[in-house]
Amino acid sequence: MSTGTTCIRCAKGCITRQVKRGSAPNSVAEKRWITQSSKPSAVPGRASVPKRGTVQSRTASSLGYQGQYAKNEPGEIPFPADLKYKPAPELPKRPLLQPGNLFHPFSHSPSPDIRRRAAFIKQHAYCPHPSHHRTRLPIAPDDPEARKTSASASLPPAHVQFECPDCGIPISCSEEHWADDYESHLELCDTLREINEDDHDLRSERFFKEFEYPGPQIEEALVNMTNWDTLLYTREFEAINEERSMRQATRLLTYPITIGSVLHELSPYNIRSGGRLTIEGLKSLSALRYTLHPARSGAGMDIKGLRLNPPPNRIFILGARAESSLPREVWVQLSHLFARATIHLIFIGPESMTNRDSEFPLPERTPSNPFGAIVEARISHQLKISTFVEYFHTLHAAGLFYPYDPYFDCFMLFHPGLGHPASSHEWEETLPQLLETKVPIICTGYTEWDMQRDRDWVEEKVGGEYDLLMEPGENRFRSLRWDLNDLDPSDISCGNWGIWAFRGKRYETTRRDVE
């Protein structure tokens, strides 16, 4: 009878009879079956001598490694070679998009997320052609709404429907308006195409080696904060040779590195000509740098090495939004810049936990946790993160963070929109309390106009009651990737483009000798 027509039970019986007659096993499956049926040796530690003409019983160690089979597991039922199951070979996973195939119109993108984004833009964005009536007041000199005057506007507002064939983003209500306003659109078309390709690259399912971050750095290896290239090289990042990969990497790293570039002792901002740092700024930042770069104290692991540890440096990030949801490996890069200091990041704002309910459900507010704080204390031995879904002026009035120390505390405001018409009212109560603390306040802006508008608002509200620590200007560690506003495709910006700093005015007491 051929093996191909023999059932499993009969095949097992045939193999059993062969072993009983003394035939040596011919397959790995038979060896495993014999191993499971073998008896232990009578003398511990010594193998029994087999009788002549019998099959020698082998232990698992004499057969070598047998895969995932343990000694106490039941043996595998031996199958003939032609009946044994053979799994299909796994095909390598193919990326959704190849590097040379990243440009696609948003409406016909292979990514469902981008197609939904295109539908959102067409539903909410309006055509920027000057023949339409205004839908809102212009907020900047280069705002497309500023071109819509009562003399030229004759058509009602219309949503965008036509996608530019060069950038692939819905930009006009019709092809006629796109062609008529092509010169104005040409100023942004190349940047919009770059945004299109970068968004498709993020969803291409390729391996992003630029998101692999180095660990701690020895103190003897100093970092160079001249620009992105020198920083990534001296911090021993993996080499990034493509501009697109560089844009993707800096989009995340701009948040921790922007803070570190101001507070580090090797900061590129100084009081030299063009360094943008003021005398008052040197005073405030020198105090912070003194505690962020402490001297060696001789601490050790034994009793003689016990030393008192200073409190952690607190960095309050107010109005936190996207930065609070960054991967924690990104924020750990901030602690690697300060080898002997501990840092406590405190995210504060009503949107600090947006779209993160599945990751960290908000805890109930109890007497022991009255503001429902979320504490992440096991990120690293140098970094701790706390999140408060509340306004700062509410926490300040409750005295939750008192006292403030200019040697250990600092405020960071990423794109706060202090002077924006839609958000300035939320900062009116907070700004005087920030100045009252007398600690540095660092702010960033999307564009030069956005940053200057924030400073003008501060000057209008508390003029004469603050000291300028760093003059407004371009951030050396801004994001190299441009972002698109889905409510207005002609509005593009990059994260942390500009940076400046101020502090509540400090009044020094002077004594006069009385004659």
Side-chain angles (χ1 to χ4, degrees), residues 320-479:
R321 296 185 297 272
E323 56 270 21
S324 63
S325 61
L326 287 178
R328 294 321 184 215
E329 293 82 3
V330 177
W331 284 112
V332 170
Q333 295 303 308
L334 176 62
S335 64
H336 290 337
L337 294 176
F338 308 98
R340 293 196 298 269
T342 56
I343 298 177
H344 184 189
L345 295 178
I346 304 175
F347 295 106
I348 301 175
E351 302 178 20
S352 57
M353 289 296 294
T354 303
N355 299 327
R356 298 183 64 197
D357 295 337
S358 58
E359 180 183 0
F360 288 105
L362 293 179
E364 297 182 1
R365 302 197 175 194
T366 60
S368 59
N369 189 13
F371 297 101
I374 300 174
V375 180
E376 304 170 56
R378 296 186 178 182
I379 298 175
S380 72
H381 68 284
Q382 290 182 286
L383 181 65
K384 176 183 176 181
I385 296 181
S386 300
T387 306
F388 293 85
V389 187
E390 189 58 82
Y391 286 102
F392 173 76
H393 55 258
T394 303
L395 304 176
H396 180 83
L400 185 62
F401 302 118
Y402 271 110
Y404 297 94
D405 193 334
Y407 279 83
F408 290 94
D409 296 335
C410 172
F411 290 100
M412 186 70 213
L413 282 64
F414 291 110
H415 320 113
L418 298 177
H420 196 280
S423 59
S424 59
H425 66 281
E426 298 179 350
W427 294 98
E428 288 186 359
E429 187 176 354
T430 302
L431 183 60
Q433 297 175 350
L434 292 178
L435 300 180
E436 180 185 344
T437 62
K438 309 299 182 184
V439 300
I441 306 168
I442 307 172
C443 298
T444 64
Y446 286 113
T447 60
E448 183 178 5
W449 169 261
D450 180 37
M451 182 174 52
Q452 188 62 38
R453 181 181 56 188
D454 291 348
R455 183 186 175 183
D456 294 342
W457 184 84
V458 173
E459 181 68 27
E460 177 187 351
K461 296 296 180 181
V462 292
E465 292 298 326
Y466 76 95
D467 291 324
L468 187 64
L469 305 184
M470 187 166 63
E471 298 176 357
E474 184 176 356
N475 179 16
R476 295 200 181 198
F477 296 96
R478 68 174 181 88
S479 171

Side-chain angles (χ1 to χ4, degrees), residues 183-342:
E183 291 185 3
S184 176
H185 171 67
L186 198 60
E187 300 175 358
L188 305 174
C189 190
D190 292 340
T191 306
L192 292 176
R193 183 185 178 95
E194 182 181 289
I195 295 174
N196 185 326
E197 295 179 355
D198 289 347
D199 286 342
H200 281 94
D201 179 57
L202 280 181
R203 295 163 177 83
S204 63
E205 299 182 2
R206 68 174 177 89
F207 178 73
F208 293 88
K209 66 176 183 179
E210 59 267 30
F211 293 152
E212 291 188 344
Y213 305 115
Q217 187 166 343
I218 59 175
E219 298 184 41
E220 290 76 9
L222 301 179
V223 296
N224 188 330
M225 291 191 170
T226 304
N227 50 44
W228 275 116
D229 293 329
T230 59
L231 174 72
L232 298 181
Y233 178 76
T234 54
R235 274 290 290 125
E236 299 182 355
F237 276 76
E238 290 290 337
I240 302 178
N241 301 321
E242 298 180 1
E243 293 184 1
R244 178 169 292 110
S245 299
M246 191 70 170
R247 294 195 296 266
Q248 307 289 19
T250 58
R251 181 65 181 88
L252 302 183
L253 290 174
T254 179
Y255 292 97
I257 302 302
T258 295
I259 300 176
S261 65
V262 177
L263 303 182
H264 201 273
E265 62 181 357
L266 301 177
S267 170
Y269 308 109
N270 48 59
I271 60 173
R272 300 187 185 96
S273 177
R276 296 169 48 191
L277 203 64
T278 63
I279 299 299
E280 292 297 327
L282 182 62
K283 294 178 182 178
S284 293
L285 296 182
S286 296
L288 285 170
R289 293 168 183 173
Y290 178 79
T291 56
L292 286 170
H293 300 277
R296 293 184 179 273
S297 60
M301 301 299 294
D302 53 357
I303 298 297
K304 295 182 179 180
L306 293 179
R307 298 291 186 275
L308 292 176
N309 293 326
N313 292 79
R314 299 186 301 179
I315 301 178
F316 300 90
I317 301 179
L318 306 188
R321 296 185 297 272
E323 56 270 21
S324 63
S325 61
L326 287 178
R328 294 321 184 215
E329 293 82 3
V330 177
W331 284 112
V332 170
Q333 295 303 308
L334 176 62
S335 64
H336 290 337
L337 294 176
F338 308 98
R340 293 196 298 269
T342 56

